[in-house]
Every structure is written in C-alpha cells, then in structure tokens.
Amino acid sequence: SSFRAVVMLPHVPHALRLSDVCSMGLPTLVPADPLIHKFVWPYAGPFCGRSDPELSRSVDPLAVNRSEPPYSPFAFQGEEYVPEQFHNDRRYWLQYTEWELRPHLLRWRSIPHLLELASLSEAEAWEISSKMRRHHTEIVHEALAWWRAAARAAAALE
C-alpha cells in the first residue's frame, strides 16, 4: 500500500476489510470505547442484530457445553437501537469483536485525537506495520495448524 495509515469506522462486529488491512500491515485508526459503540452495534444486522431473523437471535438451550455469559448477546440488539441503555452489555460483547481482538490498532477518542494519531511519522508507521505483519503471520500459523489437525481428524474418521 502507498498510504501511511487508514481510518476505519466499524459497521459490524467482524468486518473482513479489517482483516484485509491488518494482513497488509497498514496502520489502522479506529474509534475507541465508548465512541466505537455508535458505529459497531447499530448496523450489526448480519451478526444477530436487529434486522437478523429471530431464529439467528436465539440460543439453543440444549446445546452441549453452552456457557452462561453475564449479558445476553441479543438484549441490546432489540427492535430499536437504544444507546442510553445496555452500556455494560455492549462493553462486554465488544471484547469479542475484531475491533478489540486485533492488536496494534490505533484507537482514537475524538476528532482532535484522530488528527493527532493520523500525523504519525513514516518511521512510526513502519514500526506499527511490522508489528501488524508479525501478528498476522502468527495467526496464519495458528489457523493452518488448526486446519491441519481438523483434516487429520476427519481423515481418521473414514
């Protein structure tokens, strides 16, 4: 990429484009908590959000190894988005989104802070970029190891 950094506004909890820019090692500026909640949850329809069918917004009570999280993943995704409610719910579930799981993202709290972060030097951008690329290599190795083990297990079933 010929850009020093990119600004991204999350529109869903797990955006493939975030994985793409992280794999390129492109320093990425994203809103910090609590600002991120204005973007990630109101439009999360395909991820059990308000516009998703009711069936996808339910939990199988008979599922094996089912956990009991402290907050419902669906309550704050009701018919209407109510930003003044469900603060703890949203904060709890945010930790499982790509926007929080990805290290080395530059998180901004306001527009002045965004502009300050966006003025990073070329050396700073390269340092962040190398950390992002190293992390991407690590998760690729983890994923490949998992898929190899899954393939061996599936082959053993035949």
Side-chain angles (χ1 to χ4, degrees):
S1 170
S2 61
F3 296 98
R4 193 172 292 175
V6 65
V7 176
M8 294 182 75
L9 298 176
H11 68 290
V12 292
H14 300 284
L16 184 56
R17 64 196 164 120
L18 179 61
S19 297
D20 292 342
V21 297
C22 287
S23 69
M24 293 185 334
L26 186 56
T28 307
L29 296 99
V30 300
D33 187 7
L35 185 59
I36 193 169
H37 298 288
K38 292 188 176 289
F39 301 100
V40 74
W41 302 121
Y43 310 106
F47 295 89
C48 304
R50 291 183 306 286
S51 62
D52 227 15
E54 190 60 36
L55 180 60
S56 70
R57 295 172 9 97
S58 60
V59 177
D60 181 358
L62 304 176
V64 178
N65 298 323
R66 184 173 169 263
S67 64
E68 291 291 332
Y71 301 99
S72 164
F74 310 115
F76 69 96
Q77 294 282 18
E79 289 292 319
E80 303 232 356
Y81 181 65
V82 187
E84 63 275 2
Q85 295 179 359
F86 303 107
H87 296 287
N88 292 333
D89 304 49
R90 286 192 301 271
R91 283 200 172 105
Y92 176 80
W93 290 107
L94 181 66
Q95 70 183 316
Y96 299 108
T97 69
E98 292 282 328
W99 305 100
E100 287 297 312
L101 292 171
R102 294 271 177 185
H104 315 300
L105 297 178
L106 303 171
R107 301 175 198 293
W108 46 276
R109 297 179 302 277
S110 64
I111 296 300
H113 188 221
L114 168 63
L115 295 174
E116 178 187 326
L117 289 173
S119 66
L120 70 154
S121 70
E122 190 171 341
E124 291 168 323
W126 274 109
E127 181 181 341
I128 294 165
S129 178
S130 67
K131 289 177 183 177
M132 293 175 81
R133 287 190 312 268
R134 267 194 308 276
H135 179 259
H136 179 72
T137 300
E138 290 169 11
I139 62 175
V140 165
H141 288 296
E142 282 179 29
L144 287 173
W146 187 92
W147 281 108
R148 284 183 190 112
R152 282 192 296 274
L157 293 175
E158 292 182 24

